[in-house]
Amino acid sequence: MEKVDLILTDVDHILTMDENFTEYKNASIAIKDGKIVDIGEDVKNKYFGKTVVCRGKIAIPGLINTHTHAAMTLLRGYGSDNPLKVWLEEYIWPVEGKFVSYKFVKEGTELAVYEMLRNGVTTFVDMYFYENAVADVLNNVGMRGVLSTGILDFPTPGAKTPDEGIAKTEDFIKEYKGSEYIYPAIGPHAPYTCSPETLKKAMEVAEKYDVLYHIHISETEFEVQTVKEKYGDTPVKHLKNVGVLNKRVLAAHMVHPTEEEIEILAENKVKVAHCPESNLKLASGIAPIPQMLKAGVTVGIGTDGTASNDDLDVIGEISTAAKLHKGYWKDPTVLNAKQALAMATREGAKAIMKEDELGTLEKGKKADIVLIDAQVPHLNPLFDPYTQIVYSSKGLDVDTVVINGEIKVLNKEVLVIDKEYVLNIAKKWKEKIENR
Ligand SMILES: [Zn+2]
């Protein structure tokens, strides 16, 4: 018998989410030094160490939220149901202008992190301001984040000019590159808010440091129209002309690409973060995801910020995606349950260029594992675990969350952030925002 740090034993179903969708029944996972060292039916008999018995549970890889603005959780539900322009100009921007600070971002992120952990998210991709505050929270709780500060051509809370934003991002990358939980990235906001010069300079940094280039692309018809008028081409073609389309690009939303642009995305290995609930709530439209998948584009799932979702439930998000595309394209075979769950795991890892470490339950991968409680009436009878997770379960069915081999959630309780503490944060900021 070999000693390990943690063994998850007697798991009813282990969905590895590898390329063959390998599954184990009544099996165990052994973890050492933050990594999966063994997985299978006989593992229980080969190792000893701290043991969590997982009878009645389904194991899946830690969920990856490929696009959010965590700190905006302090604005959940604020100014909902208004036209986009009114919502932004009368609600979101004034509050951000007045309050966004290190403290706002830190506390908003703590509230978001509590919710994401409770819902089985182990890694998220963020774009906001004061990302050093996000990094501090994540290092504190031991959760992974791909962190990018929004770079725009006008002054932001952290930078007066885009050049200052890029320089500060470079410092941030140098500080965090190679750390366990923080994957620094660069975040030019969008093709309509960043000049070609800003976009190019940001790509130079992404290539120099081998980091992700996180950007909103083709989110709204307004954006498509604006880019067309300004630069004579639709957003994807414009970015191709600028020379910033490659495997480092994680494009959030991608609601309005043309057929030609979908081919361009595939050829240039651009990854897409699909955010269906935000696109629906903000009335942006429906992204042609089945067509992108068919063309070979890697697609992950994102919640976007809770101001436009209004939650951080990735399981809920894949459920929405799977149903939305069936209904919209009038084809019940598109985006099946396995594909939908892959978007939140394996494909999400590819979207952030971390497929060697994250996204599947395999020997040698980081031990980021989620256990879903299947002993609840609404998941039974259980004919097919993939179907049940995507169509029947909710994020709150997550029972246990392990990140880097450490237990963060157990018996549906978040162990690393206090619930009363985050509720107080929310209450305090609600009063401040209402009395502004
Ligand atoms: Zn966004």
Side-chain angles (χ1 to χ4, degrees), residues 67-69 72 127 189 214 216 219 252-253 275 278 304-305 308:
H67 181 69
T68 191
H69 311 279
M72 289 184 84
M127 185 196 288
H189 175 263
H214 180 205
H216 299 83
E219 179 176 0
H253 301 296
C275 307
S278 170
D304 207 1
S308 59

Side-chain angles (χ1 to χ4, degrees), residues 203-219:
M203 183 52 81
E204 281 166 22
V205 173
E207 291 190 327
K208 183 173 172 191
Y209 296 96
D210 190 23
V211 298
L212 208 67
Y213 188 90
H214 180 205
I215 178 170
H216 299 83
I217 306 178
S218 215
E219 179 176 0

